Structures are given as C-alpha cells and as structure tokens.
Amino acid sequence: MVHLVGAPQPAEPTRKIIVVLVAGAKDHGPGEHDYPAWQQVWRELFALAENVRVETAEEWPSAEQFQSADVLVFYQHGTWTPQRALDMDAYFARGGGAVYIHYAVDGGEQSAEFARRIGLAWQGGRSKFRHGPLEVNFAAGTEHPIARNFDKVHFHDESYWQLVGERSRIALLASGVEDGEHQPLFWTAEPPKGRVFVSILGHYSWTFDDPLFRLLLLRGIAWAAREPVDRFLARHGLPVSVPAPPPRPPAGLGPTGLAAFRAYLDSPLPYRAFASSGDGLTGWAASPRAREEARRAALSFCQKDGRTCAIVAETIEIEDR
Ligand SMILES: [Zn+2]
C-alpha cells in the first residue's frame, strides 16, 4: 500500500462523486493543448477510482451534467458569454466545483466577467505568456491542503501573467517570477457557494504525466468537489505515481527520450527525477537513497551531450506500508 506523507491515516471517508471532463477542439501543434488526448487518458484514469463516475463533454457540459456534476474540469480554449455565466452561476449556487486548466481561463471579450467567478482570467492582446522552464514556488499555499508538502517544483511548461481580475479574489497556492514579479500560477477562488481551482500550467502533454502535476491536479479536483484532497490516492484505486494505462509518452520524443520516459514511468523506486532539454524529455534517474541524488543524476544524464536541462518531474516521498 502506498501512502503519501501527511495524508490522514486511516483515510477519510469519501462519497460518490460525478466528475465531468470538458475538452474542446485542438488549437496547437502535437503534444500541446491536446484537450482530446487528455480527456481520453484522464477518463481512463478516473475510471480506476473508487466512488467516482466520470463523464465527458465537448466544449460545454449538458444541462443534465450541470444538474448532476460535483466537479467540472475544463481543459479547452475557454471563452465566456452571458449564457455561460447563467449556467455557471446556477451551478456554483448549488455548491458545484470547477477546475480550469491553462487556456481554459481565456475569457475572450468577457474576461472581467469571467474573472469575477474564477479570480483571474486571460485576455488576448493584454495578457502575456512564456514557454520554458518554470520554478513554481508554493510558499503562499503551505496552509492549503492542495499544496501540502509542496515547496519549489521545476516544470517545463508555460506561464501566463498580466491577467484580468483582482488578486484579492484568489487564494494563492503557487507563483512563478515573470517580469521581475511573483505571478499567480495555481490558486483557488470561491464564487458564492462554489469552489474553483485553477492551474495555469497545462500547455504540454508531458506536464499531465508529471507525477507532481498529476498529484496537484487530483488534489485540486477533489477539493473543488468538496472531498478530502487525498481521496484519489492509490489506496482508493487511483494511482498517482504511475501513468494511466496504457502509458502515453509525450509527443515528439526521440528514441532515447522515449526509452528514458518509459523507464521513468516504470520505476518502483521512491525517488525519481526526470530532466528536459527543452525540446523533449531526455534524462531520467532514480535513487533509493536521496532526492538530491536523483536530481543530480538526471541532470548529468542529459547534460552529457552538452544540452541545458531542467528537472521537469519528480516523485515525492512515497512510503511502503
Ligand atoms: Zn499554451
């Protein structure tokens, strides 16, 4: 039995929840903004969980789903309209939860209205973005269950900033530095009676296979559904540190990166680190002794060919019980 450090023992009771995965048409190249692939894989993942019914929606949930869902997870190119506002306000008013990943925070012309519900929203022509290594700092979220035991994590994804909305409306979980300032990357918001969790990260498909990102997202989904954040742990039937079957490697990997990625996913060792050269995942190492040892090994592995690497994925401590 695996057990994440800090999780309540015994596990808290869970109730039956309905999770709706809302995707949309792809709007970027291979391995980026791949909403349909995400929906397919995460549907399989949630099908493994106890006490969960998983459903899917294209572009927008059905009227029935707005009535029945506990949490709507949006990964799509978002937009906001008066009709969507009516749907979501009614949904939040009955206690519904929502999760917005990456481009789902685009509010289009109505970004200020969207931001009133989710805290901060993207606005084309105003908001800024950067693809590349991100050092995500969870110092602001140490008291929040979603960010439990998170400190600083390196991802290779995309940040957004100069978003529309008021920072006083969000509970900040984590930030990254852009333009010399800390910019919100993960947060929660609470529109009247509702719950919202937002992840700005989610540009690249590989991010969704990063064990730490996966853990954050699962915790955020559980929290938005008003469930214990650990309800998706392996003991409840949903693996957080191994990929959904069948494994889906990040798109665009060469043979070396693919082999390394599969080894990474297959490793049963408690400390694992994976490095990226920026154009694909290239280095992997595991250590039974120390996290730092795994990180150093992963970096030196991919720096052999003179590439610059960043750690993109690590497991956190998992104890055998
Ligand atoms: Zn993006």
Side-chain angles (χ1 to χ4, degrees), residues 28 33 102 131 158 160 203:
H28 275 61
H33 292 213
H102 198 56
H131 301 94
E158 182 183 8
Y160 293 165
H203 178 87

Side-chain angles (χ1 to χ4, degrees), residues 33-296:
H33 292 213
D34 201 340
Y35 319 124
W38 163 81
Q39 189 185 48
Q40 186 186 336
V41 170
W42 281 63
R43 181 183 202 167
E44 292 171 18
L45 191 65
F46 278 111
L48 300 172
E50 286 173 8
N51 247 356
V52 171
R53 191 167 101 214
V54 59
E55 298 182 6
T56 59
E58 303 308 318
E59 299 297 346
W60 201 239
S62 68
E64 191 177 39
Q65 287 170 329
F66 273 112
Q67 292 296 321
S68 60
D70 293 282
V71 57
L72 305 170
V73 187
F74 294 94
Y75 183 45
Q76 59 180 191
H77 182 182
T79 188
W80 194 252
T81 63
Q83 181 56 50
R84 289 191 171 197
L86 285 175
D87 288 344
M88 290 306 296
D89 286 347
Y91 174 70
F92 287 135
R94 71 158 181 84
V99 172
Y100 294 88
I101 305 167
H102 198 56
Y103 212 13
V105 302
D106 188 3
E109 310 249 301
Q110 304 265 318
S111 55
E113 280 297 304
F114 195 17
R116 282 184 51 221
R117 280 77 171 188
I118 70 166
L120 303 169
W122 171 276
Q123 186 178 69
R126 163 192 164 124
S127 302
K128 296 164 88 172
F129 66 93
R130 180 179 65 81
H131 301 94
L134 303 174
E135 178 160 299
V136 182
N137 188 328
F138 288 85
T142 49
E143 299 298 312
H144 199 288
I146 294 175
R148 190 189 73 223
N149 287 352
F150 278 80
D151 179 10
K152 286 180 183 160
V153 186
H154 295 275
F155 291 102
H156 192 105
D157 200 81
E158 182 183 8
S159 58
Y160 293 165
W161 68 104
Q162 238 162 262
L163 301 171
V164 172
E166 294 171 36
R167 284 214 195 175
S168 58
R169 285 185 183 273
I170 68 171
L172 182 66
L173 300 180
S175 60
V177 174
E178 304 288 356
D179 285 345
E181 287 180 34
H182 291 278
Q183 311 287 356
L185 293 176
F186 292 91
W187 67 84
T188 61
E190 300 195 43
K193 295 188 182 173
R195 279 192 172 185
V196 169
F197 169 71
V198 174
S199 166
I200 292 302
L201 275 66
H203 178 87
Y204 293 109
S205 294
W206 61 56
T207 298
F208 290 89
D209 285 324
D210 179 316
L212 289 185
F213 183 78
R214 184 170 290 197
L215 187 59
L216 280 170
L217 203 46
L218 289 170
R219 286 180 178 178
I221 291 168
W223 180 85
R226 298 171 191 278
E227 281 280 274
V229 294
D230 297 298
R231 64 128 35 239
F232 296 125
L233 283 179
R235 64 181 305 133
H236 292 299
L238 186 55
V240 295
S241 59
V242 294
R248 293 173 58 88
L253 274 191
T256 310
L258 194 60
F261 186 73
R262 289 201 169 127
Y264 167 73
L265 294 176
D266 289 342
S267 168
L269 295 171
Y271 295 91
R272 300 183 293 168
F274 206 98
S276 164
S277 66
D279 56 354
L281 299 169
T282 53
W284 166 85
S287 166
R289 285 198 291 274
R291 183 178 190 158
E292 273 312 307
E293 192 179 321
R295 294 174 62 100
R296 276 199 302 275

